Amino acid sequence: MERNATILAIFADSADAEAMSNYLAELPEVISVTADRSLATTLEQLAFNRIEPALTIIPGTLYPESMPLLVRYVRCCFPNTEILVIAQASAPPPSLERFMADQVRHLIVEPQQISVAAGGDFPLSLAIGNLIEKRQWTIDQYVKEGTEIREFKLTFSEEKEKIIRTLEDAIVGDSPEHEMLRHKGALLADEMLENAFYGAPRSDDGMKMFRKGERRQILPQENIAFRFAFDGETLAMEMQDGWGSLGADLVLEYLAKNSANMEAADDAGGRGLFIIWRFLDQFHVRVAPGKETLIGGHLRKSSQIPPETLHGFHITTG
Amino acid sequence: MDSSFKIVHQTRPLCNYFAMAGNIDAQAEAQLMGLPAKVNQQLVKFDFSDTGRINSMGIALLLRCFKRIKEEKKAEIQVMQVNPTNTMLFRMTGIFLLAAATKE
């Protein structure tokens, strides 16, 4: 099937456009637009000419704070376009409540201005490729080609500690960065496994079926599998379950709630998901309601994005 | 290394001191929920030097435990020897809103 590969890139100003020009120059069909007074007319003209971008890239300098209605307006002109927001880690974090309202499900947070030469475009190029080609995020996309992917199909909850030890042992190195990566990797694996064991299984009325920490057998139809890969720099990991009980809107709601009000965090749901998101450099969730949930992402040994700040995410369905 | 959770309690001059050893997760519930009853000083110190992983359930239990100490015992809470990963975790989950980090 032929894909519509047109990308619409909306920039706040010329400096914003310049920061991404090197990368976008290599893409075949990019329409660059500056958000000046003629923005509405320009978008309407594109729509009138039946140009329907598959992807619209919006900078965090514009949305949501400066132009909160921008996504709604873009979707009025181009109902089927995917929205990808790129924010700078050094800038004030964007409001996730607005993301929730507009169902914006793709965010990349760059530690500094995107530098192609420094390999800083990696999450961006991956996101553009996946969104244009309608591909899902998978852990092999995060690590060097040929890196072994370890897979564990779970049958008992007690297998958690053995899997975590295997992951820690795979991160070989004595530097403080290796030690930190082992700690973070172990915590992420713990949260992912606990979520699959105790968060995902729900009864018909949506209630949790198991209490956290209880010993339980995993039934084959639950299809719970944990995978990880480490290429010496990047640790990629993902957890799959056959419940599909996590809604895409609920994911954003959990991230927003836990980001906004730490004092109420004791009572907020989704703290485990929030921790996974903040400890990964880039986080992906794929939900097929009633069939499957996949939670994953990657973390670099030399990660520059502290967990205390907002991190990128991709939330997809189907 | 034994990663099962244990709390060692010492009464020191003018404070209660609790050393938290092992991973803090759902298995720590009974011990952490029983801890506020042992507080009888106005200063409570938690030593995390022998603590391993703290997952989201462990964070929930620590938040509940610390809130009860503050509300029921009106005591000040200090935490010490928290490793870098757990420090990040405490910052992003509100633990430091209830307990101050200290060196001693």
Side-chain angles (χ1 to χ4, degrees):
Chain A
M1 187 173 77
E2 194 177 320
R3 298 283 184 203
N4 169 13
T6 303
I7 297 169
L8 173 64
I10 302 176
F11 300 115
D13 50 35
S14 54
D16 197 22
E18 177 63 27
M20 280 184 65
S21 60
N22 282 348
Y23 182 71
L24 294 179
E26 293 176 15
L27 295 169
E29 290 177 53
V30 180
I31 299 169
S32 298
V33 174
T34 303
D36 54 20
R37 284 182 198 167
S38 63
L39 177 64
T41 310
T42 306
L43 297 182
E44 283 164 13
Q45 193 64 46
L46 289 171
F48 181 77
N49 290 331
R50 300 185 179 222
I51 293 171
E52 169 87 39
L55 171 65
T56 301
I57 300 174
I58 294 174
T61 45
L62 278 181
Y63 175 84
E65 273 70 26
S66 299
M67 296 182 74
L69 299 179
L70 180 59
V71 165
R72 284 186 195 183
Y73 197 75
V74 167
R75 286 220 176 102
C76 278
C77 294
F78 316 113
N80 299 315
T81 194
E82 290 279 3
I83 304 287
L84 170 65
V85 176
I86 302 176
Q88 298 297 321
S90 54
S95 154
L96 291 185
E97 282 76 12
R98 174 56 69 174
F99 279 54
M100 277 169 61
D102 292 338
Q103 296 192 320
V104 173
R105 292 174 177 167
H106 302 280
L107 169 71
I108 288 177
V109 178
E110 290 293 333
Q112 55 235 336
Q113 292 288 25
I114 293 167
S115 160
V116 176
D121 70 312
F122 165 67
L124 178 62
S125 59
L126 179 62
I128 289 175
N130 283 354
L131 289 169
I132 290 288
E133 296 295 327
K134 308 278 183 203
R135 285 191 306 250
Q136 296 293 345
W137 275 256
T138 52
I139 59 169
D140 61 303
Q141 295 175 327
Y142 297 128
V143 289
K144 290 175 192 158
E145 205 175 327
T147 304
E148 183 191 5
I149 295 173
R150 308 280 301 271
E151 182 178 70
F152 304 85
K153 300 217 173 194
L154 280 298
T155 49
F156 282 98
S157 53
E158 294 95 313
E159 291 164 349
K160 182 180 89 171
E161 290 302 327
K162 189 179 167 192
I163 292 171
I164 291 173
R165 275 197 301 277
T166 307
L167 183 142
E168 289 173 321
D169 291 346
I171 303 168
V172 179
D174 297 327
S175 71
E177 288 81 12
H178 283 95
E179 186 65 12
M180 178 71 92
L181 190 65
R182 272 191 289 275
H183 283 169
K184 288 181 178 177
L187 176 63
L188 285 162
D190 187 324
E191 293 295 351
M192 287 181 182
L193 288 158
E194 291 263 317
N195 184 66
F197 293 156
Y198 309 110
R202 302 277 172 153
S203 58
D204 290 342
D205 57 1
M207 300 300 286
K208 285 186 182 176
M209 295 168 66
F210 302 99
R211 193 170 183 274
K212 276 207 170 184
E214 78 173 83
R215 179 186 184 277
R216 62 164 300 231
Q217 185 177 3
I218 315 298
L219 301 172
Q221 58 267 35
E222 290 188 69
N223 199 22
I224 292 180
F226 176 76
R227 290 178 279 272
F228 79 85
F230 179 58
D231 66 7
E233 168 61 30
T234 301
L235 174 64
M237 51 211 299
E238 69 184 11
M239 184 83 234
Q240 171 193 320
D241 71 64
W243 290 91
S245 54
L246 191 63
D249 290 339
L250 193 60
V251 176
L252 260 182
E253 189 182 322
Y254 282 155
L255 304 187
K257 262 189 190 171
N258 282 278
S259 298
N261 195 351
M262 285 198 299
E263 284 174 272
D266 190 23
D267 303 309
R271 188 187 291 106
L273 206 63
F274 172 72
I275 289 172
I276 293 169
W277 169 50
R278 288 296 186 91
F279 272 83
L280 287 167
D281 287 351
Q282 194 73 24
F283 166 67
H284 68 249
V285 179
R286 183 173 82 222
V287 184
K291 293 179 184 164
E292 183 187 85
T293 303
L294 193 140
I295 296 171
H298 75 90
L299 174 64
R300 289 185 180 194
K301 178 162 60 69
S302 54
S303 173
Q304 294 174 41
I305 313 175
E308 297 90 332
T309 64
L310 214 63
H311 283 217
F313 54 75
H314 299 289
I315 303 165
T316 54
T317 53
Chain B
M1 190 183 115
D2 182 13
S3 59
S4 56
F5 181 66
K6 291 182 282 294
I7 300 175
V8 178
H9 177 211
Q10 295 172 10
T11 300
R12 294 183 171 182
L14 303 174
C15 84
N16 292 113
Y17 168 93
F18 297 96
M20 318 288 268
N23 294 337
I24 306 181
D25 56 21
Q27 310 300 334
E29 183 166 11
Q31 291 182 74
L32 280 173
M33 291 303 95
L35 189 147
K38 296 174 183 166
V39 170
N40 56 11
Q41 301 288 331
Q42 290 305 293
L43 177 62
V44 187
K45 294 191 177 192
F46 286 88
D47 183 343
F48 287 87
S49 55
D50 290 326
T51 306
R53 240 173 26 243
I54 307 176
N55 69 13
S56 55
M57 188 63 190
I59 291 290
L61 294 170
L62 285 174
L63 284 166
R64 271 182 234 158
C65 175
F66 288 4
K67 278 182 181 173
R68 279 185 54 199
I69 291 170
K70 288 187 87 80
E71 287 166 11
E72 295 169 17
K73 305 289 180 170
K74 312 288 182 207
E76 179 192 347
I77 302 170
Q78 293 181 349
V79 295
M80 53 191 184
Q81 304 291 335
V82 186
N83 73 28
T85 304
N86 289 339
T87 298
M88 291 172 188
L89 204 50
F90 283 8
R91 273 201 204 114
M92 59 190 253
T93 56
I95 292 280
F96 285 139
L97 297 174
L98 299 170
T102 179
K103 287 183 180 173
E104 270 303 309

